[in-house]
């Protein structure tokens, strides 16, 4: 899964709780896994707005190498709701992942958006 660096850095996302709960409940974009075993094996940052634009790809490349030793694979990468709803670079992130990751790229994670914050 790829999440927004700034959301994490500014504590706007409480430890990825919404994504993890959505997976456990099989809600939002995780509904596709109803009746199946599924797990998040890694959560990586996007690379920051002015940072390394390919950080997610590099992180997934390293993950893939590590999982080979464990006889595991990644079947899909979810791009977090934080990126899909708020990131001005989401098209670049999606394009890079779709071109190079070699697995299904799923746009979004959960639908737990509050109508208002206060």
């Amino acid at each position: 899964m790829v999440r927004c660096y700034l959301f994490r850095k500014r504590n706007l996302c409480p430890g990825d709780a919404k994504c993890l709960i959505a997976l456990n409940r099989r809600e939002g974009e995780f509904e596709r896994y109803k009746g199946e075993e599924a797990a998040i094996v890694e959560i990586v940052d996007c690379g920051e707005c002015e940072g390394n634009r390919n950080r997610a790809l590099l992180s997934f490349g390293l993950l893939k190498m590590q999982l080979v030793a464990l006889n595991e694979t990644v079947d899909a990468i979810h791009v977090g709701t934080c990126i899909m709803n708020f990131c001005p670079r989401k098209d670049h992130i999606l394009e890079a992942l779709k071109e190079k990751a070699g697995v299904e790229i799923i746009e979004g994670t959960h639908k737990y958006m509050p109508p208002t914050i206060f």
Side-chain angles (χ1 to χ4, degrees), residues 8-58:
R8 182 190 58 79
K9 182 179 176 184
R10 294 181 180 158
N11 294 318
L12 296 172
C13 186
D16 304 300
K18 290 179 179 180
C19 293
L20 296 173
I21 288 169
L23 174 63
N24 290 339
R25 293 178 179 173
R26 303 299 195 257
E27 294 178 344
E29 295 302 323
F30 297 115
E31 188 174 343
R32 66 181 61 227
Y33 306 117
K34 277 193 177 179
E36 297 180 27
E37 260 191 58
I40 294 175
V41 296
E42 178 76 310
I43 299 173
V44 301
D45 293 330
C46 61
E48 196 172 1
C49 293
E50 300 305 322
N52 181 348
R53 294 180 178 257
N54 293 312
R55 179 178 176 160
L57 280 173
L58 295 172

Side-chain angles (χ1 to χ4, degrees), residues 13-106:
C13 186
D16 304 300
K18 290 179 179 180
C19 293
L20 296 173
I21 288 169
L23 174 63
N24 290 339
R25 293 178 179 173
R26 303 299 195 257
E27 294 178 344
E29 295 302 323
F30 297 115
E31 188 174 343
R32 66 181 61 227
Y33 306 117
K34 277 193 177 179
E36 297 180 27
E37 260 191 58
I40 294 175
V41 296
E42 178 76 310
I43 299 173
V44 301
D45 293 330
C46 61
E48 196 172 1
C49 293
E50 300 305 322
N52 181 348
R53 294 180 178 257
N54 293 312
R55 179 178 176 160
L57 280 173
L58 295 172
S59 295
F60 282 114
L62 290 171
L63 174 65
K64 189 174 183 179
M65 289 184 343
Q66 293 170 354
L67 291 178
V68 166
L70 299 170
N71 200 27
E72 295 286 343
T73 60
V74 171
D75 301 316
I77 297 172
H78 281 262
V79 178
T81 296
C82 49
I83 291 174
M84 295 311 303
N85 288 348
F86 303 108
C87 180
R89 295 186 320 112
K90 76 177 176 188
D91 292 335
H92 171 80
I93 294 168
L94 289 169
E95 179 183 321
L97 288 170
K98 288 177 181 178
E99 181 181 324
K100 304 269 185 180
V103 296
E104 181 182 9
I105 306 303
I106 301 162

